[in-house]
Amino acid sequence: LVRSTAAMLIVLPLARGPAEEAPLGEGLRGNAHTIAGPAPGQDRSEWLAALRAYRAGVRSGPPRLDRSIYDRADLAWMRRSITCHFTFLYDRSIYDPETGRYALDEFLDEGEREFGGYDILVLWQGYPRLGVDPRNQFDMYRDLPGGLPGLREIAKKAHRRGVRIFVDYNPWDRATRREGRSDEEALADLVAGMDADGIFLDTLSAASPGLRARIDAARPGVVLASEIHPPIAQLSLLSSSWAQWLEDPHPPGLLHLKWIEPRHMQHQIRRWDRDHSAEIEAAFFGGSGVLVWENIFGAYNPWPRENRRAWRRASRILRAAGDLVSSESWDPFVPTLQPTLFAHRWPGDGVTLFTLLNRGPPLEDRPLLDVALPEGARFFDLHGGRHLAAAREDGAWRITGSVRRLGAILAVQSAQDPAWLAPLLAAQSRDADDPAGEDARNRARSLARPRPVERTSPAEHDRPPPGMVLVPGGELRMRLEHRRRECGCYPDPSLPEAEHARFTWGHPHAEIIRHDIGPIRVEPFFIDEAEVTNEQYRRFLEASGYRPRHPESFLRHWPGGRMPAEVAELPVVYVDLDDARAYAAWAGKRLPTEEEWHLAAQGFDGRAWPWGEAFSAERCNTTGDRLLPARSLPSGRSPWGCFHMAGNAWEWTESERDDGHTRFVIIRGGSYFRAEGSIWYVEGGPRPCSHHAKFLLLWPGLDRCATIGFRCVRDVR
């Protein structure tokens, strides 16, 4: 799907399929993603001549390919940025909710231990939360802990450690609050305000010259990187792109875009794969990068230990030899001495690097390459961190060594070793094999059960507290359904742990998760007839003196902290889960569990809406743009008499879960606000009883929303 929006070309992938074979010229095979090596029986010199002629033709045009951004000194850092990390800011590894601080140094230390260090962090803030309320993607950066000054401090600390910061741009975010200016202007201000180094163009395969010019004016040295594989012409604007789910019809191939411009950095990524060996091998062999992504919008998919070690060793080589693997002198698919061994040659000033990929059984002390270099050359196994044996035969060097899967050989012709060689060899030799046994880093706690609920003092069943109705206990079955939305959900508690991924997994995005939970014994309880109002919350604050630990966004709709009279009877919003719990405790109540909320809304008859099948979503809230009074009740009767629930505001439930990486809670009911026009938004508007939403928790300033309120329950004697 292609559409033009605000001077930017937007390309949204509707489905992923194999890339078509591309016309590359006589003697060449491949597609838009990769170019194959010589075919069996094909003369390499003819193949290489055709390959170079193809590149020259693409560059010269017409139209001529403008590659000037790669000559810019302020953007040159990108060619050495081997490891990009997708930093989902809701993950505990980067933000600690207990201490209320970003744990950047600890996060980067762990990255060095496990992956060999990160070069780029993509700080992700919005999706899958966008659409819960009218805040837009830029608002969500502003509402992160510390706001833009806090993010600027993160950038400053990261820069001191040689790490660059990217922000995310979601071009599909058009139905939330508008900035009153173009997205390009908002992005430029965001980048300048954060001292960011790059913009990740989510869902895009292209940028516009206007965006490039505006960002250059706001802050020099900012890289634009696309998610979707860009057309060749976009190399003039994009210094980087994701190599996401690329198709290689004749593996191993070389990256098509990197051959056209060796300084273009692509990061291999297959986010839902359990084993990342294919990404690692393609990136290392072709002198490119990898995107490390483990927390996928709240679904945890950690890299296995053997993958982490493989990339740790590979990335050290690529980073140290960055000038070589981005060189115009790249000589691909040089002959080897083993039929399963492939090699690229990367010559430089006094040194030559060979990246090796073995696609057969491990090679142990076997002849690998014949290298035509003068006497006095020295050879090093960069992967193993040691000197390498070589013998002089017929005017060439025969190099013997071992390659399990990946290998790298450095030939040094100059009298002096490159400065980076000794530290690299030492680091590689220290990097011992991974220990056997469980990979403790990759453990995650079960999400089958929420945190325990502390019961209230019980009330007599025939004496409902004021404003509450009795819901009799009984056996409940919860049948729920919703889209995965890449963040998954909690597993049905009756399932064995081996089947939990059916629910916790977030792939594919549009697939429907169907829960069938029960039977569950629900004890009788009283529940508020309506959501807690602003006036009720005002009285609580006055009586209790409650003040939240983090006041950001608290009761944001009360100017100066004073409740406007016109909102008195509207549901109180801009309160987070703990703000709601504090009110409930003061009132001698608590928040409802999800099961209690469900029973109160649906009863035992399985109705789609609290007032029966005839009740429609449109009648829940006909305004569609604002909250209604908490006690507004359309015609019809709820299962338990007077029970005001009109899809007016989402409601917190006592269903908090934490797998050790991401915290979330279930919200129910829907709200007046519906962001339309994109499949990536939270499904808003009034929602039927069969629907629930996974709401990711980060910190109060972001968790307090214009569309989430609450009601309380009290236990029954």
Side-chain angles (χ1 to χ4, degrees):
L1 172 65
V2 182
R3 72 175 183 266
S4 176
T5 297
M8 294 189 68
L9 177 66
I10 296 180
V11 182
L12 303 179
L14 296 183
R16 189 176 86 245
E20 300 277 334
E21 289 274 341
L24 300 172
E26 187 176 354
L28 299 178
R29 303 169 299 156
N31 58 29
H33 299 163
T34 58
I35 302 175
Q42 184 178 14
D43 182 83
R44 178 182 179 269
S45 61
E46 293 179 0
W47 170 84
L48 187 58
L51 186 67
R52 289 173 173 163
Y54 168 70
R55 178 167 67 183
V58 169
R59 290 177 174 180
S60 61
R64 187 182 67 84
L65 180 63
D66 180 1
R67 299 185 295 132
S68 59
I69 63 169
Y70 302 97
D71 298 325
R72 286 174 47 174
D74 62 331
L75 298 176
W77 58 269
M78 189 67 207
R79 71 188 67 163
R80 285 181 177 269
S81 296
I82 299 299
T83 305
C84 180
H85 186 276
F86 190 101
T87 310
F88 192 56
L89 289 167
Y90 298 79
D91 193 287
R92 283 178 171 272
S93 64
I94 187 67
Y95 178 74
D96 184 347
E98 275 73 41
T99 62
R101 58 178 285 271
Y102 292 110
L104 182 68
D105 284 325
E106 298 91 326
F107 178 80
L108 294 179
D109 289 345
E110 202 247 10
E112 290 179 3
R113 288 193 307 272
E114 300 295 339
F115 295 96
Y118 305 133
D119 301 295
I120 295 170
L121 306 183
V122 178
L123 301 184
W124 189 277
Q125 86 303 357
Y127 174 79
R129 282 266 302 263
L130 274 169
V132 167
D133 71 355
R135 278 179 298 184
N136 65 39
Q137 57 186 303
F138 307 111
D139 291 327
M140 295 188 78
Y141 274 117
R142 299 176 191 117
D143 285 349
L144 285 169
L148 294 189
L151 294 173
R152 189 184 184 99
E153 187 61 28
I154 280 187
K156 184 187 299 184
K157 289 182 178 180
H159 292 160
R160 285 199 292 264
R161 297 187 58 160
V163 178
R164 308 285 179 151
I165 297 297
F166 274 49
V167 299
D168 157 52
Y169 172 56
N170 309 119
W172 47 267
D173 179 24
R174 299 281 165 185
T176 54
R177 187 189 74 84
R178 297 298 83 209
E179 290 279 307
R181 52 183 174 161
S182 71
D183 282 1
E184 288 85 348
E185 292 174 290
L187 272 171
D189 284 352
L190 179 67
V191 164
M194 285 178 53
D195 275 350
D197 308 286
I199 302 173
F200 168 66
L201 303 175
D202 177 50
T203 73
L204 293 179
S205 65
S208 70
L211 176 64
R212 178 74 268 173
R214 187 172 290 278
I215 298 302
D216 284 343
R219 175 170 160 79
V222 175
V223 163
L224 303 180
S226 67
E227 176 183 6
I228 310 303
H229 193 272
I232 291 172
Q234 278 289 311
L235 292 178
S236 63
L237 298 171
L238 303 171
S239 307
S240 178
S241 58
W242 281 12
Q244 180 171 225
W245 289 308
L246 297 195
E247 299 290 340
D248 186 352
H250 307 288
L254 53 89
L255 287 173
H256 193 149
L257 296 183
K258 183 174 174 64
W259 176 249
I260 301 300
E261 175 47 74
R263 295 169 292 180
H264 182 80
M265 174 56 70
Q266 289 184 275
H267 292 104
Q268 297 280 339
I269 173 61
R270 292 175 175 259
R271 69 183 82 165
W272 293 110
D273 284 10
R274 301 283 195 177
D275 177 13
H276 299 280
S277 298
E279 296 141 82
I280 294 168
E281 291 169 8
F284 178 73
F285 180 56
S288 197
V290 152
L291 179 72
V292 175
W293 190 353
E294 298 185 292
N295 191 328
I296 308 172
F297 307 125
Y300 188 51
N301 184 26
W303 274 43
R305 181 165 48 197
E306 57 271 19
N307 285 170
R308 302 197 305 269
R309 180 175 185 268
W311 183 244
R312 185 168 67 237
R313 299 177 73 84
S315 65
R316 290 191 190 114
I317 298 169
L318 294 175
R319 193 176 293 113
D323 290 339
L324 299 177
V325 296
S326 60
S327 166
E328 191 81 6
S329 302
W330 178 14
D331 188 13
F333 289 102
V334 296
T336 72
L337 301 176
Q338 300 296 329
T340 63
L341 185 66
F342 299 87
H344 289 326
R345 176 177 172 269
W346 313 84
D349 185 12
V351 295
T352 301
L353 173 69
F354 297 87
T355 55
L356 308 177
L357 173 61
N358 175 29
R359 295 183 65 86
L363 301 171
E364 300 289 345
D365 292 320
R366 304 288 293 276
L368 303 176
L369 298 169
D370 281 341
V371 179
L373 289 174
E375 291 190 23
R378 304 180 307 285
F379 299 91
F380 300 89
D381 174 2
L382 298 187
H383 200 266
R386 59 190 177 87
H387 285 79
L388 197 59
R392 190 88 171 150
E393 296 183 14
D394 298 327
W397 292 97
R398 173 152 292 185
I399 302 174
T400 300
S402 301
V403 180
R404 178 178 294 177
R405 194 70 178 178
L406 299 178
I409 296 170
L410 184 73
V412 180
Q413 302 101 266
S414 59
Q416 190 169 354
D417 293 342
W420 51 263
L421 178 59
L424 173 61
L425 295 176
Q428 299 291 67
S429 64
R430 286 195 305 266
D431 199 349
D433 289 339
D434 291 324
E438 183 182 6
D439 186 359
R441 176 187 180 275
N442 285 5
R443 281 199 298 260
R445 295 196 293 266
S446 171
L447 295 171
R449 305 281 180 184
R451 81 174 206 170
V453 175
E454 186 174 338
R455 299 290 167 174
T456 68
S457 60
E460 298 294 341
H461 76 280
D462 57 349
R463 296 180 184 176
M468 304 190 84
V469 295
L470 174 67
V471 179
E475 297 288 335
L476 171 68
R477 194 167 206 101
M478 282 204 307
R479 291 184 172 91
L480 306 164
E481 61 181 43
H482 57 94
R483 283 192 291 118
R484 288 190 181 276
R485 299 188 59 253
E486 291 189 279
C487 58
C489 197
Y490 61 78
D492 289 4
S494 60
L495 285 178
E497 189 170 351
E499 297 183 37
H500 282 189
R502 284 170 43 197
F503 294 88
T504 59
W505 208 240
H507 179 70
H509 170 275
E511 186 176 78
I512 301 299
I513 290 178
R514 290 182 172 85
H515 298 274
D516 188 357
I517 304 172
I520 309 163
R521 175 66 190 178
V522 179
E523 298 301 325
F525 60 95
F526 292 110
I527 189 165
D528 289 342
E529 293 178 358
E531 297 113 334
V532 173
T533 66
N534 285 282
E535 173 59 24
Q536 289 172 313
Y537 207 85
R538 184 197 66 77
R539 292 200 297 265
F540 152 64
L541 294 179
E542 189 175 86
S544 68
Y546 173 76
R547 295 294 181 271
R549 176 185 171 195
H550 298 289
E552 289 82 355
S553 301
F554 181 59
L555 300 174
R556 180 182 276 183
H557 59 311
W558 291 16
R562 300 177 65 85
M563 184 198 76
E566 60 268 23
V567 305
E569 297 308 313
L570 300 183
V572 66
V573 291
Y574 286 118
V575 288
D576 75 349
L577 194 57
D578 286 334
D579 300 331
R581 285 168 173 159
Y583 172 92
W586 168 80
K589 304 174 184 180
R590 58 176 173 81
L591 299 184
T593 65
E594 187 185 6
E595 294 81 4
E596 289 168 336
W597 194 100
H598 190 92
L599 179 57
Q602 189 174 63
F604 294 107
D605 59 5
R607 58 180 64 190
W609 300 93
W611 292 269
E613 295 299 327
F615 193 76
S616 68
E618 288 72 25
R619 292 179 64 194
C620 287
N621 186 338
T622 57
T623 64
D625 62 356
R626 61 181 174 86
L627 284 169
L628 295 174
R631 290 183 174 273
S632 64
L633 181 66
S635 60
R637 300 296 290 174
S638 71
W640 318 112
C642 186
F643 183 66
H644 301 265
M645 182 178 306
N648 197 14
W650 289 101
E651 297 182 26
W652 297 116
T653 67
E654 198 58 86
S655 57
E656 185 179 355
R657 287 169 166 85
D658 183 350
D659 66 358
H661 302 275
T662 315
R663 300 177 301 133
F664 68 90
V665 69
I666 298 298
I667 54 176
R668 298 296 302 261
S671 80
Y672 71 92
F673 178 72
R674 188 197 307 265
E676 297 182 299
S678 173
I679 61 171
W680 309 113
Y681 283 127
V682 171
E683 296 171 287
R687 308 307 300 174
C689 297
S690 59
H691 182 87
H692 68 181
K694 176 182 178 181
F695 183 90
L696 296 171
L697 299 168
L698 200 160
W699 91 299
L702 193 66
D703 298 344
R704 296 180 178 119
C705 295
T707 56
I708 304 181
F710 68 99
R711 71 180 76 219
C712 303
V713 302
R714 187 170 174 185
D715 294 297
V716 172
R717 191 180 301 282

